[in-house]
């Protein structure tokens, strides 16, 4: 944030809802972004973030400033970054998910790791194809994605570019999750600027 501000950017860090996200069984998911809607349930955070992008940010811009908006987020925030950018690609100049996977191919599961163990972030994320928890090696390494949730229709024209940031040995979100997100974004015509990958200890 300090580096961005020094370069003349304003930095907005919105806060996620608490228990707005629900798993497929309707169990609340703690203090985290609602990075995917389940069934007919309305997403708890998308309308809020759209209002930040369309109303809050423009209302605070100094006269003559650049109107572009860039998104980034880490972990659950990285999943949410992809979800927001693919829902509102006409509002975003570029996006950078960090340590994140595919929000359309992942689900939250509150049946394990209850709030007693992790009060603010109970449960786990699971890949919809393999059923594995996303921290497991090869968690998202599937040949096809028949369980992928439907992506929103993108507007015609050039879609915003993205650059992923990930550590190859990430023990929370396996590298295969980043690779799957990348393949899906490219398949949906988002411009891949090449991932920034850290390696080693």
């Amino acid at each position: 944030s300090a580096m961005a501000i020094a370069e003349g950017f304003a930095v907005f860090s919105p806060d996620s809802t608490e228990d707005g996200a629900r798993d497929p069984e309707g169990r609340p998911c703690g203090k985290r972004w609602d990075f995917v809607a389940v069934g007919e349930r309305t997403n708890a955070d998308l309308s809020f973030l759209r209002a930040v992008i369309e109303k809050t940010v423009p209302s605070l811009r100094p006269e003559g400033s650049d109107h572009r908006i860039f998104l980034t987020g880490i972990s659950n925030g990285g999943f949410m970054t992809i979800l927001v950018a693919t829902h509102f690609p006409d509002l975003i100049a570029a996006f950078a998910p960090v340590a994140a996977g595919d929000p359309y191919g992942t689900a939250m599961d509150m049946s394990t790791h209850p709030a007693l163990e992790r009060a603010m972030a109970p449960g786990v994320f699971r890949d919809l194809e393999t059923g594995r928890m996303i921290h497991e090696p090869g968690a998202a390494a599937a040949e096809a994605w028949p369980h992928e949730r439907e992506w929103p229709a993108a507007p015609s024209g050039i879609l915003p570019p993205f650059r992923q940031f990930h550590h190859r040995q990430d023990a929370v979100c396996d590298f295969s999750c980043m690779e799957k997100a990348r393949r899906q974004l490219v398949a949906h015509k988002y411009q891949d600027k090449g991932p920034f990958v850290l390696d080693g200890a």
Side-chain angles (χ1 to χ4, degrees):
S1 296
M3 291 171 65
I5 290 168
E7 291 293 324
F9 291 90
V11 178
F12 291 77
S13 184
D15 200 7
S16 66
T17 52
E18 184 158 359
D19 288 337
R22 302 272 166 163
D23 78 357
E25 303 302 319
R27 293 173 289 232
C29 298
K31 184 76 174 87
R32 51 168 52 112
W33 291 107
D34 188 8
F35 73 89
V36 64
V38 180
E40 298 301 314
R41 179 177 64 76
T42 300
N43 185 284
D45 292 310
L46 277 175
S47 60
F48 160 63
L49 291 172
R50 180 169 193 154
V52 170
I53 293 167
E54 288 190 311
K55 298 177 182 176
T56 305
V57 174
S59 73
L60 297 171
R61 277 195 186 109
E63 188 176 340
S65 61
D66 196 315
H67 285 208
R68 292 177 297 172
I69 290 179
F70 304 88
L71 293 180
T72 189
I74 187 169
S75 191
N76 177 235
F79 281 86
M80 195 69 203
T81 293
I82 296 174
L83 193 73
V84 171
T86 54
H87 270 78
F88 314 128
D90 53 329
L91 304 178
I92 303 303
F95 58 106
V98 182
D102 169 20
Y104 300 96
T106 308
M108 289 184 263
D109 175 7
M110 298 298 111
S111 67
T112 184
H113 296 79
L116 291 174
E117 297 175 30
R118 298 191 315 214
M120 294 301 288
V124 296
F125 295 178
R126 291 188 184 276
D127 183 79
L128 290 178
E129 305 307 332
T130 66
R132 295 179 193 147
M133 293 182 285
I134 64 167
H135 74 272
E136 297 180 67
E143 293 300 316
W145 306 303
H147 297 101
E148 183 84 356
R149 292 189 182 94
E150 186 176 357
W151 286 53
S156 58
I158 297 174
L159 296 176
F162 69 94
R163 171 163 285 161
Q164 295 164 290
F165 292 78
H166 213 95
H167 196 292
R168 196 174 298 278
Q169 286 79 41
D170 190 317
V172 177
C173 185
D174 184 67
F175 194 71
S176 64
C177 299
M178 187 218 80
E179 291 178 312
K180 178 183 179 184
R182 183 182 183 197
R183 289 169 64 188
Q184 287 286 40
L185 284 163
V186 169
H188 286 87
K189 311 302 183 190
Y190 290 86
Q191 305 170 62
D192 182 12
K193 294 300 183 178
F196 182 89
V197 178
L198 293 172
D199 214 334

